[in-house]
Amino acid sequence: MQSLVMYSNEFSGHLNNGLAPEQFKYRILVEGDSWMDRSAMVHTSLLQSLAPEMDAGGEAVLFINLAIFGDTMRRMGQNKRDFVQWVRTAFGWKFDAILLSAGGNDFIDAARDEKPGEGLLKNLAVQAPPAQGRDCLRPEGVSDLVKKWLDPNFSVLYDAVQASRHRDVPIFLNSYDTPTARNAPAFQNGRPWLYTSYVKNSIPPALWPDLTEALFGEVQAAVGGWATGRPNVHIVPTNGTLIPATPGTTGNDHDWQNEIHPNKGGWEKLAKVWRTSLKTVLVP
């Protein structure tokens, strides 16, 4: 029996065609962004590599995927009634785990979509460049994002799980990996993410590597904070897994398909880390 990845709106059709969820070794609910959905219009995501990785160990998994390309923690907490419905629905089986990838787009949006000097980045068009890229971050912007938006909206999802019969189910959180800021959008004529943010705020390219490391350090710290005081929440340690893309490249390079998403080889590396994390917690 092989693992199966399906979107939530496909579940009823699969049931009508004979799907038996209880026959899978694990049943896993997935919520999140493009790292769980798809990394570009024609490229897949982590689950497409994690499924065969689990199969290789003889562990067939039914993945029910609620993730949406470009989604944010803020929208998940405020508008994701689909997630709440899934954890509240009574089946003849329980989920064995919940996977969540969230927070990355919130940080990227706060850097890219705000006016220069607002959001997460300082505007170096109106002030001298600092000695280190990390000093281009606005600490107050990071703090506001995490405390006012990310933490409360994660709590919405977490509390929904705790109010359900899945309260003891382990939740695994994506900690991403640190990309390279470069002009490599997900599709032709699209906008890159970090590259656009840095250019808009007149940040010199020499500062980009240190700034990106600091920015994703904040992402990972925010995600890590969601596990504090919650023993059933686990961080998947993916940062540092991938070979960074070369600065200045504009497409697929090393383990990266575009600026912020891995390619097939990158997903396969990450899937191994995820399987190791899952197997340390899930019942054999």
Side-chain angles (χ1 to χ4, degrees):
M1 186 175 188
Q2 291 186 320
S3 294
L4 177 62
V5 180
M6 68 175 69
Y7 288 102
S8 61
N9 60 2
E10 300 171 329
F11 183 69
S12 294
H14 279 282
L15 284 180
N16 292 336
N17 287 321
L19 176 72
E22 63 276 4
Q23 292 182 358
F24 290 83
K25 184 167 185 178
Y26 301 118
R27 292 150 296 275
I28 296 179
L29 183 66
V30 183
E31 177 61 286
D33 51 28
S34 56
W35 278 51
M36 293 298 182
D37 181 16
R38 52 190 169 88
S39 55
M41 295 302 293
V42 295
H43 296 286
T44 55
S45 62
L46 174 71
L47 297 184
Q48 304 304 324
S49 293
L50 183 55
E53 184 69 23
M54 299 298 288
D55 287 342
E59 299 155 336
V61 181
L62 173 62
F63 294 97
I64 297 175
N65 193 6
L66 313 182
I68 299 175
F69 181 91
D71 214 351
T72 62
M73 184 74 261
R74 179 175 177 174
R75 285 195 295 269
M76 291 177 206
Q78 294 179 347
N79 302 316
K80 282 289 189 168
R81 286 174 289 187
D82 198 19
F83 178 86
V84 175
Q85 179 180 347
W86 273 97
V87 297
R88 288 180 176 174
T89 299
F91 299 107
W93 45 270
K94 285 177 61 176
F95 287 110
D96 297 285
I98 295 171
L99 312 187
L100 175 65
S101 178
N105 284 332
D106 298 84
F107 272 85
I108 288 170
D109 289 354
R112 186 177 72 168
D113 297 344
E114 299 293 337
K115 295 179 181 179
E118 299 181 9
L120 300 186
L121 301 176
K122 297 175 182 177
N123 181 10
L124 298 192
V126 297
Q127 65 182 92
Q132 300 183 95
R134 62 192 60 242
D135 293 328
C136 297
L137 285 175
R138 297 179 63 246
E140 63 274 28
V142 173
S143 179
D144 283 351
L145 176 64
V146 174
K147 294 180 180 178
K148 293 182 179 180
W149 299 109
L150 299 188
D151 290 352
N153 283 295
F154 175 77
S155 292
V156 170
L157 299 189
Y158 181 78
D159 290 347
V161 175
Q162 297 311 295
S164 75
R165 66 195 188 99
H166 302 288
R167 65 182 62 88
D168 58 339
V169 168
I171 301 172
F172 295 87
L173 304 182
N174 183 26
S175 58
Y176 301 94
D177 204 341
T178 303
T180 299
R182 58 197 183 106
N183 188 13
F187 51 88
Q188 189 174 9
N189 299 322
R191 288 194 304 163
W193 300 266
L194 303 171
Y195 177 90
T196 300
S197 307
Y198 297 172
V199 170
K200 180 173 65 177
N201 285 279
S202 302
I203 298 171
L207 298 179
W208 292 4
D210 186 59
L211 173 56
T212 303
E213 183 178 347
L215 179 61
F216 272 78
E218 295 291 352
V219 173
Q220 289 142 14
V223 172
W226 301 338
T228 302
R230 296 174 171 129
N232 65 323
V233 178
H234 307 272
I235 308 300
V236 181
T238 48
N239 190 45
T241 300
L242 306 179
I243 299 173
T246 306
T249 54
T250 58
N252 187 20
D253 188 70
H254 291 308
D255 287 331
W256 296 85
Q257 182 67 39
N258 51 57
E259 191 189 38
I260 64 169
H261 300 110
N263 55 25
K264 184 176 184 294
W267 291 129
E268 289 172 354
K269 290 182 180 181
L270 293 167
K272 294 182 185 300
V273 179
W274 274 84
R275 181 180 181 274
T276 297
S277 290
L278 291 172
K279 292 302 295 177
T280 62
V281 177
L282 297 183
V283 176

